[in-house]
């Protein structure tokens, strides 16, 4: 990247450039941002501003609804959901515009960003029965045979071995098969898979995110709600009662789907909340990455190949609050590991999402997880953005070199990168477009960096950096809180420096 045009040399061969000896402190001096307060939990999908004539004089309420806490070993805390807004209709077009503007501002304040009106949540293919909804996926029933490190036993005493049930998801896709089994002993990494727990989690997510308020009450009340009935069947160790509950669930959910109730709900929203995204990610991981986790031991301490993950709630904050990523933008993860963040961005935001990883076994797991994730999205009836996982060194990968100049957000988990690699990475940022945001665990710009004539061509000069703090249990390698950095490509300061020193 050349700055010669900024210096405005009239004739390099006959004139010398006279610059006043001035050193300017740039905005790369790191600012700190306070930790945000936790937002209230809510129903999982955010409503659009669209109001129809059929809704005149009626108020559609979106009640706050808490999904039961899930015991996720690899994702220790979930991102709090944001509150929802009540919308109403009015005959007056002017009044409606005022209501919409007020609701939009309130929603922006709660989410920390403008509603993404281009985001379409429903996967239309998933609600079509043209292909009978059959596609390749890893059923829960396959896990006991695929998991070579764990001995599985029936879910409760008296249950015959290899007892199988099928569970209906919100879409028109095939039902998932479950063997009612659980690990004999807990795994050392706590990545246990329990079929009945997974079924209960699916029920809670569907109730919270896919049903109108009236049906939500019927599906989840203490007397006849499906999760309560399922718990009672488990406590009574009744195979027949358990199968009856799941059969009734399947019939009721299929009826709502065939009547168009679920499609209507999904079509009203422009966002998927983190807890639902996390459930889908957890399912994809349990059926792929968790079964091959030993291969991640190829990473070596003291090199650039040390494996560590940003956990989902931290990623949600980065995508929603720090970078305000939209569905028509591009996300790139340099050093994407098994692809967790790439998949999360594609589903939670709906954007085009890229990742690049060089370790072979990790790339294999990432591709397995991508296939399962895409199957899970269809099962849940949700649309994700285009996903691209590249193999190789991101410094020399051709596809990454082509997409980086168009990227809107670049994530680099450089916590364990060597100084040499961080320096080479910084040079890549010269090719980024203005306004692109770079999220990293270590700052690429030294604290107190100043523009001077000597370092005029340094890539540090085009980055504006803000230091932020994350909560405890936001990363896989420590439970402690820590700092991270959000940089923005901004060449205006170097132009201003050159103009002052003509």
């Amino acid at each position: 990247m050349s700055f010669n045009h900024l210096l405005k040399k009239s004739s390099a061969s006959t004139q010398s450039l006279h610059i006043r000896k001035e050193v300017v402190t740039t905005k790369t001096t790191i600012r700190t941002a306070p930790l945000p307060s936790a937002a209230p939990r809510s129903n999982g999908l955010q409503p659009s501003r669209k109001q129809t004539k059929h809704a005149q004089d009626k108020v559609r309420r979106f009640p706050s609804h808490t999904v039961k806490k899930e015991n996720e070993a690899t994702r220790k805390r979930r991102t709090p959901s944001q509150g929802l807004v009540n919308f109403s209709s009015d005959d007056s077009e002017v009044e409606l515009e005022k209501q919409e503007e007020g609701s939009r501002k309130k929603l922006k304040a709660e989410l920390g960003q403008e509603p993404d009106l281009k985001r379409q949540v429903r996967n239309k293919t998933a609600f079509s029965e043209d292909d009978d909804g059959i596609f390749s996926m890893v059923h829960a029933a396959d896990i006991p045979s695929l998991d070579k490190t764990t001995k599985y036993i029936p879910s409760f005493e008296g249950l015959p071995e290899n007892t199988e049930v099928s569970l209906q998801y919100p879409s028109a896709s095939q039902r998932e098969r479950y063997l009612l089994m659980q690990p004999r002993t807990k795994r050392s990494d706590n990545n246990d898979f329990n079929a009945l727990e997974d079924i209960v989690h699916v029920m809670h997510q569907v109730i919270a995110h896919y049903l109108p308020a009236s049906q939500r009450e019927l599906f989840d009340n203490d007397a006849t709600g499906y999760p309560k009935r399922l718990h009672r069947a488990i406590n009574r160790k009744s195979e027949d009662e358990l199968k009856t509950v799941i059969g009734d669930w399947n019939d009721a959910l299929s009826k709502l789907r065939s009547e168009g109730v679920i499609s209507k709900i999904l079509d009203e929203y422009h966002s998927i909340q983190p807890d639902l995204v996390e459930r889908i990610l957890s399912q994809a991981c349990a059926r792929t990455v968790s079964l091959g986790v030993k291969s991640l031991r190829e990473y070596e301490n003291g090199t650039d190949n040390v494996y560590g993950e940003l956990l989902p709630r931290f990623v949600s904050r980065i995508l929603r609050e720090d970078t305000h990523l939209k569905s028509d933008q591009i996300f790139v993860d340099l050093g994407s590991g098994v692809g967790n963040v790439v998949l999360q961005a594609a589903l939670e935001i709906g954007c085009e999402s890229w990742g690049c990883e060089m370790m072979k076994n990790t790339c294999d797991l990432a591709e397995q997880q991508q296939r399962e994730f895409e199957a899970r999205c269809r099962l849940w009836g949700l649309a994700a953005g285009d996903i691209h996982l590249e193999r190789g060194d991101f410094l020399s990968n051709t596809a990454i070199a082509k997409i980086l100049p168009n990227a809107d957000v670049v994530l680099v988990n450089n916590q364990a990168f060597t100084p040499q690699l961080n320096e080479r990475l910084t040079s890549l940022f010269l090719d980024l477009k203005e306004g692109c945001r770079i999220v990293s665990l270590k700052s690429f710009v030294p604290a107190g960096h100043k523009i001077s004539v000597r370092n005029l061509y340094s890539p540090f000069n085009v980055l504006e950096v803000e230091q932020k703090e994350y909560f405890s249990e936001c990363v896989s390698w420590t439970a402690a809180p820590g700092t991270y950095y959000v940089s923005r490509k901004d060449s205006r300061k170097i132009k201003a420096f050159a103009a002052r020193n003509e």
Side-chain angles (χ1 to χ4, degrees), residues 47 69 143 157 243 425 492 495:
K69 184 177 180 180
I143 293 178
E157 185 180 352
K243 288 183 175 179
L425 261 172
R492 290 176 298 180
K495 294 179 182 179

Side-chain angles (χ1 to χ4, degrees), residues 171-410:
S171 69
S173 302
Q174 61 197 347
R175 293 174 180 177
E176 179 163 22
R177 296 182 291 104
Y178 284 82
L179 276 181
L180 300 185
M181 308 283 283
Q182 65 182 18
R184 182 188 294 274
T185 57
K186 281 191 171 293
R187 285 172 43 163
S188 59
D189 59 5
N190 292 322
N191 285 327
D192 300 303
F193 178 80
N194 184 305
L196 287 176
E197 286 183 359
D198 196 68
I199 290 172
V200 171
H201 291 326
V202 170
M203 287 184 173
H204 284 310
Q205 293 291 340
V206 172
I207 291 168
H209 304 327
Y210 289 81
L211 305 181
S214 59
Q215 293 295 330
R216 190 182 304 131
E217 170 60 26
L218 291 174
F219 272 61
D220 202 30
N221 68 69
D222 289 339
T224 59
Y226 296 103
K228 293 291 185 181
R229 289 175 59 194
L230 190 62
H231 279 299
R232 287 196 290 267
I234 295 170
N235 291 335
R236 293 168 183 163
K237 299 179 180 179
S238 172
E239 176 188 353
D240 291 340
E241 187 177 347
L242 186 149
K243 288 183 175 179
T244 298
V245 174
I246 293 177
D248 290 347
W249 164 273
N250 292 343
D251 292 342
L253 197 61
S254 296
K255 184 174 184 293
L256 291 177
R257 186 202 71 244
S258 64
E259 292 173 347
V261 173
I262 295 175
S263 293
K264 183 178 179 181
I265 289 289
L266 294 182
D267 287 342
E268 291 179 348
Y269 299 103
H270 294 291
S271 178
I272 306 173
Q273 280 294 348
D275 57 348
L276 178 55
V277 174
E278 188 173 337
R279 171 100 304 261
I280 297 170
L281 291 171
S282 177
Q283 286 191 322
C285 180
R287 290 154 177 80
T288 53
V289 176
S290 291
L291 303 177
V293 70
K294 283 187 176 180
S295 66
L296 298 181
R297 295 176 182 173
E298 67 185 12
Y299 284 84
E300 301 176 19
N301 289 327
T303 72
D304 297 318
N305 301 320
V306 178
Y307 190 75
E309 296 179 4
L310 308 187
L311 300 183
R313 71 161 187 161
F314 182 25
V315 175
S316 290
R317 177 183 170 185
I318 290 171
L319 299 178
R320 292 173 178 267
E321 300 177 27
D322 295 328
T323 63
H324 307 293
L325 191 62
K326 300 289 187 181
S327 61
D328 58 353
Q329 295 182 318
I330 296 174
F331 172 82
V332 179
D333 185 357
L334 299 178
S336 51
V338 295
N340 290 342
V341 179
V342 176
L343 303 181
Q344 183 171 349
L347 181 57
E348 188 164 334
I349 305 301
C351 63
E352 182 178 344
S353 196
W354 289 73
C356 189
E357 173 60 42
M358 67 184 302
M359 304 301 290
K360 180 184 182 301
N361 289 349
T362 308
C363 289
D364 293 342
L365 285 177
E367 290 173 359
Q368 292 175 29
Q369 182 169 225
Q370 178 186 354
R371 289 192 294 270
E372 184 61 22
F373 170 80
E374 291 172 342
R376 293 279 137 190
C377 288
R378 181 168 177 182
L379 203 61
W380 286 90
L382 299 175
D386 292 338
I387 299 167
H388 308 269
L389 294 178
E390 291 290 322
R391 289 174 177 253
D393 186 343
F394 51 68
L395 292 173
S396 57
N397 183 278
T398 302
I400 294 299
K402 288 181 179 179
I403 199 63
L404 271 179
N406 298 317
D408 297 279
V409 175
V410 176

Side-chain angles (χ1 to χ4, degrees), residues 424-442:
R424 294 180 67 190
L425 261 172
T426 308
S427 298
L428 282 183
F429 301 154
L430 291 173
D431 295 326
L432 298 176
K433 66 184 181 182
E434 291 294 302
C436 178
R437 284 176 166 79
I438 306 153
V439 182
S440 60
L441 274 294
K442 289 183 178 178

Side-chain angles (χ1 to χ4, degrees), residues 385-500:
D386 292 338
I387 299 167
H388 308 269
L389 294 178
E390 291 290 322
R391 289 174 177 253
D393 186 343
F394 51 68
L395 292 173
S396 57
N397 183 278
T398 302
I400 294 299
K402 288 181 179 179
I403 199 63
L404 271 179
N406 298 317
D408 297 279
V409 175
V410 176
L411 173 66
V412 187
N413 180 0
N414 62 339
Q415 179 68 29
F417 283 5
T418 60
Q420 293 79 9
L421 180 56
N422 278 326
E423 183 177 349
R424 294 180 67 190
L425 261 172
T426 308
S427 298
L428 282 183
F429 301 154
L430 291 173
D431 295 326
L432 298 176
K433 66 184 181 182
E434 291 294 302
C436 178
R437 284 176 166 79
I438 306 153
V439 182
S440 60
L441 274 294
K442 289 183 178 178
S443 177
F444 288 102
V445 180
H449 172 74
K450 299 176 181 180
I451 296 178
S452 67
V453 175
R454 287 189 174 185
N455 66 22
L456 192 61
Y457 293 92
S458 170
F460 298 157
N461 295 332
V462 298
L463 296 180
E464 181 180 354
V465 184
E466 183 175 7
Q467 177 180 306
K468 292 174 174 278
E469 297 179 359
Y470 58 77
F471 296 103
S472 61
E473 298 180 334
C474 279
V475 296
S476 65
W477 56 88
T478 179
T483 57
Y484 66 108
Y485 301 84
V486 180
S487 306
R488 183 169 60 88
K489 172 82 176 289
D490 186 354
S491 300
R492 290 176 298 180
K493 53 193 173 185
I494 191 67
K495 294 179 182 179
F497 177 86
R500 287 194 298 269

